[in-house]
Amino acid sequence: ISTSTVQPPNDIHTHQKNKQLNVLVPAVHGSVGGREETGGLQWRDPNLPEVIGFLNSPSDVVKANAAAYLQHLTYMDDPNKQKTRSLGGIPPLVRLVSHENPEVCRNACGALRNLSYGRQNDENKRAIRDAGGIPALMALLCRATDMEVKELVTGVIWNMSSCEDLKQSIIDDAAQVIVNKVIIPHSGWHPTNPGDTYWSTVFRNASGVLRNASSAGEYARRRLRGLAGLAEALLHAVRAALQANAIGTKIVENCVCVLRNLSYRCQEIEDPLYDTRAPPTQSSGQARIQASASKGENLGCFGGSKKKKEGSSSSNSTSPLGKSEPDSQPLGDTGTTQLGYSVPKGTEMLWSPEVVPLYMALLQTCSNPETLEAAAGALQNLAACYWQPSIDIRAAVRKEKGLPILVELLRMEVDRVVCAVATALRNLAIDQRNKELIGKYAMRDLVQKLPSGNHQHDQGTSDDTIAAVLATLNEVIKKSGEFSRSLLEAGGVERLLNLTKQRHRHTPRVLKFAGQVLMTMWSHAELREVYRKHGWREADFLTPARAAQPRAPSTASGTYYSLTFTTVKWTNYRFTPYYMGLITQMVKSGCTLYSGITCRNVHFCLPLRGLK
């Protein structure tokens, strides 16, 4: 769901080999590796087709041990996993998930967990789905009391959720059960009587399932946002982790990634088509944003908050954290479009300004890059829209003194974190007061992220990060000569020109953005003499922008296209600037997998004397 891919470390248990499943066969003269037994029999390991055949045995003991041995055979062995599928081994395992014998169920789940592990085993995951595995596993999760069985069940579903075309099936058949049976009870959240958070392996697996599944587009976001209690439980778990100083766990990472995904395009709940229209650069929507920012400057950093408590007139503002607003209009019934949808009241917590302190606390104290990226990405997404909640979020970040925290994170050497932070700053800069603070205090840090020409220094910075930095710089300087001068004094022109000269190293998007920033600097006519005193000419600012304009073959000579595909005529160096708009991202699933083998004693001999 995003341009960034989440690939947390694979959670692989230490290989603990099960004892052998032995088959007694007639003694063969001269056989190698056999051992003489009473009655002229000797034992050998059963082959894979035989083990699969034992899954259909009338004996529960044979079924349980065959499933356990199949788990052993498929541990970290992709050829055996694929062969098991081709031999029809997955449907009988799925049937055993519903068996009344707990040992049979447990071992079948263990085998399915190993069979579904690995990027190259998506066909196995599909086979489990096709055999009715998801409903069967969820039924077992509902009735199971053994925590190990719950771990196995959620481990299988977590493995399956990494397959892109299974995510909708998991959303439809598993999400509700996982939320009700694991996420909510293990998080400790309760609407009236919250309890302790249970940091279990089951919770980790279940949150990993939602992390992957929530990346499956608008359908997944809508379904998950509609699950009562999910948003509250995730936020409660993160808050509990902060209080317990336990924010470095995989559970917290997964929860914050889900929150980031569900924050993506949050305005779509009111107007699903909002981002298909032209950006409101000069529209009434932009006027509302500027009015809100102006009000914030005059009345305090949150802008008229005192009056808002006494009675807000905004139909879209929300107060979901225990505050009741009976007169406010439900988000799904705003009347702006008939395509919108309603969400449970608690889901509004996702885009409430009151989530900002939570994300800022994570950004200030967490050292896990995955969690940092997700927290910055959540703010990035929440600030990316034009509706009232996004306006409030942008102001809330300033009120919580979050801008210095974000600026400090620009100095990290983890590129994906820097990219999310730079993009969040770009979106936050829509607020006029934020823009001024970013221009005043973040300019040098932003410039330092641009290529300097030193390959060793520049090696770790991706084009996505460079583009995000350029977009932020352009937003800050486009109406401020003061900040354009600051960019000059911070060495920005040298770095921008150096960037435009390395056309083979950077994407056309980056080159266009760099040319646009230079052009925006030149648009401040009062600074042109200052530029010349620093040794820069008009061509330094305008030639890169013109070079970045792709020539349109079907247009007349001298006409080019901008990023918004509107024609731009070169008349006295006046042309439409590139639109460097709001950037939203989501966390893609990547390979978030779970595998392993449980150390269980399997010790029996099958007296199959007639086996050939």
Side-chain angles (χ1 to χ4, degrees):
I1 298 180
S2 91
T3 56
S4 60
T5 300
V6 171
Q7 294 182 338
N10 293 335
D11 186 4
I12 305 173
H13 288 237
T14 303
H15 184 186
Q16 296 173 306
K17 192 173 181 180
N18 286 333
K19 292 186 178 180
Q20 296 293 333
L21 169 62
N22 299 328
V23 180
L24 290 173
V25 297
V28 179
H29 181 71
S31 62
V32 178
R35 187 172 62 192
E36 290 289 337
E37 299 287 352
T38 303
L41 296 176
Q42 59 182 196
W43 61 263
R44 66 169 171 82
D45 292 341
N47 56 38
L48 189 57
E50 290 168 343
V51 175
I52 292 173
F54 295 154
L55 295 174
N56 297 312
S57 168
S59 167
D60 289 353
V61 174
V62 174
K63 289 175 181 173
N65 286 288
Y69 192 59
L70 188 58
Q71 180 184 3
H72 164 70
L73 290 176
T74 56
Y75 176 73
M76 301 298 288
D77 191 326
D78 289 330
N80 268 351
K81 294 179 186 181
Q82 295 160 12
K83 191 174 180 182
T84 299
R85 183 189 72 251
S86 66
L87 291 172
I90 289 179
L93 283 172
V94 170
R95 288 194 295 271
L96 293 182
V97 167
S98 304
H99 199 279
E100 59 185 13
N101 186 305
E103 190 76 6
V104 173
C105 293
R106 180 189 297 111
N107 293 349
C109 288
L112 289 173
R113 183 182 63 178
N114 282 358
L115 285 165
S116 61
Y117 175 77
R119 305 181 188 210
Q120 60 282 358
N121 292 304
D122 281 359
E123 286 302 318
N124 284 3
K125 300 166 193 176
R126 296 184 184 99
I128 295 172
R129 186 268 315 271
D130 295 342
I134 298 176
L137 288 164
M138 290 302 98
L140 178 57
L141 183 62
C142 289
R143 70 175 188 271
T145 56
D146 184 350
M147 192 58 66
E148 182 185 350
V149 172
K150 293 182 179 181
E151 290 178 13
L152 290 168
V153 169
T154 52
V156 177
I157 298 296
W158 192 7
N159 284 352
M160 294 177 66
S161 69
S162 69
C163 180
E164 198 68 35
D165 52 331
L166 298 188
K167 292 180 180 179
Q168 183 168 330
S169 297
I170 291 172
I171 289 290
D172 291 337
D173 299 331
Q176 181 79 66
V177 175
I178 286 174
V179 169
N180 291 343
K181 295 296 182 179
V182 181
I183 299 294
I184 292 177
H186 286 241
S187 72
W189 175 80
H190 188 275
T192 57
N193 186 28
D196 295 332
T197 302
Y198 184 30
W199 305 105
S200 63
T201 303
V202 178
F203 193 7
R204 183 199 63 182
N205 295 353
S207 59
V209 172
L210 296 185
R211 173 180 180 170
N212 284 350
S214 61
S215 69
E218 188 275 337
Y219 178 81
R221 294 193 299 275
R222 174 159 50 86
R223 290 293 303 271
L224 291 176
R225 286 168 182 161
L227 296 179
L230 174 59
E232 298 97 316
L234 295 172
L235 291 167
H236 181 87
V238 175
R239 198 171 289 112
L242 284 165
Q243 293 170 354
N245 194 26
I247 55 177
T249 66
K250 177 65 73 172
I251 293 174
V252 173
E253 178 187 317
N254 288 340
C255 288
V256 179
C257 286
V258 178
L259 291 168
R260 176 186 182 179
N261 284 354
L262 298 185
S263 301
Y264 176 73
R265 295 187 78 247
C266 53
Q267 191 173 345
E268 69 189 354
I269 71 152
E270 180 182 274
D271 180 7
L273 303 178
Y274 79 96
D275 62 346
T276 63
R277 306 183 182 95
T281 51
Q282 299 296 330
S283 67
S284 59
Q286 184 72 5
R288 287 197 306 273
I289 293 171
Q290 299 300 337
S292 173
S294 176
K295 188 183 295 184
E297 288 181 73
N298 295 334
L299 300 176
C301 53
F302 203 18
S305 58
K306 188 171 183 179
K307 289 185 179 180
K308 209 168 188 180
K309 289 179 181 178
E310 295 170 359
S312 171
S313 61
S314 171
S315 62
N316 289 332
S317 61
T318 61
S319 298
L321 298 179
K323 299 181 180 180
S324 176
E325 285 189 283
D327 295 331
S328 64
Q329 190 175 5
L331 287 170
D333 300 319
T334 58
T336 57
T337 175
Q338 295 191 5
L339 297 177
Y341 58 90
S342 60
V343 295
K345 188 66 175 176
T347 302
E348 298 171 6
M349 296 174 72
L350 292 171
W351 45 82
S352 165
E354 296 176 59
V355 302
V356 170
L358 193 70
Y359 291 131
M360 300 319 307
L362 287 171
L363 291 171
Q364 197 166 19
T365 59
C366 189
S367 59
N368 181 355
E370 302 282 352
T371 305
L372 287 173
E373 181 192 8
L379 290 175
Q380 163 193 332
N381 287 342
L382 291 171
C385 302
Y386 290 100
W387 66 336
Q388 187 62 40
S390 290
I391 296 172
D392 294 340
I393 289 287
R394 292 191 282 267
V397 172
R398 182 174 69 254
K399 178 184 179 183
E400 296 294 331
K401 298 179 173 57
L403 294 176
I405 297 172
L406 291 167
V407 172
E408 185 175 352
L409 286 170
L410 288 174
R411 301 164 194 164
M412 280 193 72
E413 295 186 0
V414 183
D415 181 71
R416 62 183 182 274
V417 176
V418 175
C419 184
V421 168
T423 312
L425 288 171
R426 158 66 185 95
N427 293 346
L428 291 166
I430 300 171
D431 179 285
Q432 182 60 36
R433 182 60 182 145
N434 285 348
K435 185 183 303 185
E436 294 172 2
L437 293 171
I438 293 168
K440 187 173 182 179
Y441 297 108
M443 185 63 73
R444 291 194 175 274
D445 287 289
L446 289 167
V447 171
Q448 286 299 311
K449 302 310 296 185
L450 297 177
S452 63
N454 182 332
H455 295 317
Q456 186 174 0
H457 170 273
D458 302 336
Q459 195 170 13
T461 306
S462 68
D463 274 7
D464 284 339
T465 298
I466 296 170
V469 169
L470 291 171
T472 306
L473 289 172
N474 192 70
E475 182 66 28
V476 168
I477 70 170
K478 66 182 181 182
K479 293 185 180 179
S480 173
E482 175 188 356
F483 295 142
S484 187
R485 180 193 288 265
S486 297
L487 178 56
L488 171 72
E489 295 172 349
V493 176
E494 292 95 332
R495 293 192 180 231
L496 289 166
L497 287 173
N498 176 68
L499 195 159
T500 60
K501 292 173 184 176
Q502 298 180 356
R503 306 185 68 83
H504 62 290
R505 292 182 177 271
H506 301 289
T507 62
R509 177 170 173 257
V510 166
L511 298 173
K512 291 174 183 179
F513 280 20
Q516 173 60 42
V517 175
L518 287 166
M519 187 199 73
T520 302
M521 292 183 72
W522 186 255
S523 68
H524 297 287
E526 71 278 11
L527 294 177
R528 291 174 183 172
E529 190 59 35
V530 176
Y531 299 150
R532 292 188 179 101
K533 288 181 179 179
H534 280 75
W536 304 112
R537 299 172 296 114
E538 181 179 12
D540 293 325
F541 294 92
L542 298 182
T543 302
R546 181 163 61 179
Q549 287 277 4
R551 184 176 298 275
S554 60
T555 60
S557 177
T559 302
Y560 296 82
Y561 282 106
S562 74
L563 286 184
T564 49
F565 301 100
T566 55
T567 56
V568 178
K569 292 189 178 297
W570 289 87
T571 307
N572 195 25
Y573 292 112
R574 295 181 183 276
F575 52 93
T576 303
Y578 299 116
Y579 172 63
M580 293 190 285
L582 307 181
I583 307 173
T584 58
Q585 285 183 319
M586 293 182 69
V587 182
K588 219 167 187 175
S589 63
C591 187
T592 310
L593 302 175
Y594 180 83
S595 182
I597 191 162
T598 305
C599 184
R600 289 198 163 272
N601 292 331
V602 180
H603 50 279
F604 71 102
C605 293
L606 296 179
L608 303 179
R609 297 176 181 267
L611 183 64
K612 300 293 184 182

